[in-house]
Amino acid sequence: MTKNIFVFSGKKRDEETVIKAWGAIMKEHSNKGYNLCFVGTKKQYVLPNIRCIHWLEYRQYIDMLESAAFVIVPLEEHPYSYGQMSLLGSLALGKYVIASKVSGISDYTEKCQSVISVKQHDVNEMYRAIKKYINENVKSKDRNIPRNEVENNFSEEQMGNKIKDFVFKV
């Protein structure tokens, strides 16, 4: 049975690093029945075992994300925050995540054991992270670990209290 790796793609996403890492994995025939599914892109890639989906209805999106083996959030660095919802939503659904080390989500990824952070544009780090999750078959790991990380570190109440503490310090 083929397992899908859900890749958040589209604008401001570092798809090229994922593609290059996947190309190396495919060259050595070590994808072990996995497909990359780029969701949110208009591009079409010609490597084997890749699906590109420009748009999904919300229920299809959630179903595809829930059934994914793991998730990749390949971000570009920008002077503002983005990517948090992709990351936290994936973790809340019990997914292990590979995410780019960018300032917009570093506060979230540093506390999560179920996230591998990779340097932006670093093909070798992306390759190693994908191989690690494939070799560990993370789809069969305990889905409560990422869920609990969100619950224990990023609840609305906790986030609100952090903002309140910051405001009172300033």
Side-chain angles (χ1 to χ4, degrees):
M1 187 174 127
T2 302
K3 297 171 234 162
N4 291 317
I5 302 166
F6 189 105
V7 182
F8 282 97
S9 59
K11 292 181 180 180
K12 302 180 220 159
R13 306 292 176 165
D14 181 18
E15 295 173 14
E16 295 306 314
T17 299
V18 179
I19 289 293
K20 289 176 183 173
W22 188 251
I25 289 168
M26 292 306 297
K27 267 187 186 172
E28 53 186 45
H29 305 289
S30 59
N31 68 314
K32 297 182 181 178
Y34 285 81
N35 285 329
L36 279 183
C37 292
F38 285 87
V39 178
T41 188
K42 291 182 181 181
K43 296 178 184 175
Q44 292 297 316
Y45 296 103
V46 290
L47 286 171
N49 299 84
I50 291 182
R51 289 177 56 203
C52 296
I53 302 166
H54 173 59
W55 185 85
L56 290 171
E57 290 182 9
Y58 182 72
R59 186 69 248 165
Q60 292 173 308
Y61 160 78
I62 294 298
D63 290 345
M64 189 171 194
L65 191 53
E66 282 182 327
S67 68
F70 58 93
V71 174
I72 302 176
V73 184
L75 302 172
E76 298 278 353
E77 185 66 61
H78 288 281
Y80 49 86
S81 294
Y82 76 106
Q84 301 91 338
M85 293 308 296
S86 300
L87 174 70
L88 293 177
S90 299
L91 293 170
L93 288 172
K95 297 296 154 189
Y96 288 77
V97 177
I98 299 169
S100 301
K101 287 181 190 173
V102 295
S103 57
I105 62 169
S106 62
D107 289 346
Y108 298 92
T109 58
E110 66 188 20
K111 294 181 181 181
C112 293
Q113 296 175 22
S114 56
V115 176
I116 298 175
S117 293
V118 298
K119 288 181 196 162
Q120 180 187 8
H121 304 297
D122 191 321
V123 175
N124 291 326
E125 277 196 24
M126 182 64 73
Y127 166 85
R128 286 191 299 275
I130 294 170
K131 287 281 291 195
K132 177 179 171 54
Y133 277 175
I134 287 174
N135 290 337
E136 290 180 2
N137 191 21
V138 294
K139 185 169 176 62
S140 64
K141 280 186 154 185
D142 185 357
R143 292 179 64 177
N144 288 318
I145 293 170
R147 285 182 185 138
N148 290 339
E149 287 178 334
V150 171
E151 214 173 276
N152 296 333
N153 296 306
F154 306 111
S155 71
E156 267 186 64
E157 182 180 357
Q158 289 169 324
M159 301 292 275
N161 285 334
K162 288 176 187 176
I163 291 169
K164 184 177 81 177
D165 291 345
F166 174 78
V167 168
F168 286 128
K169 284 181 186 176
V170 178

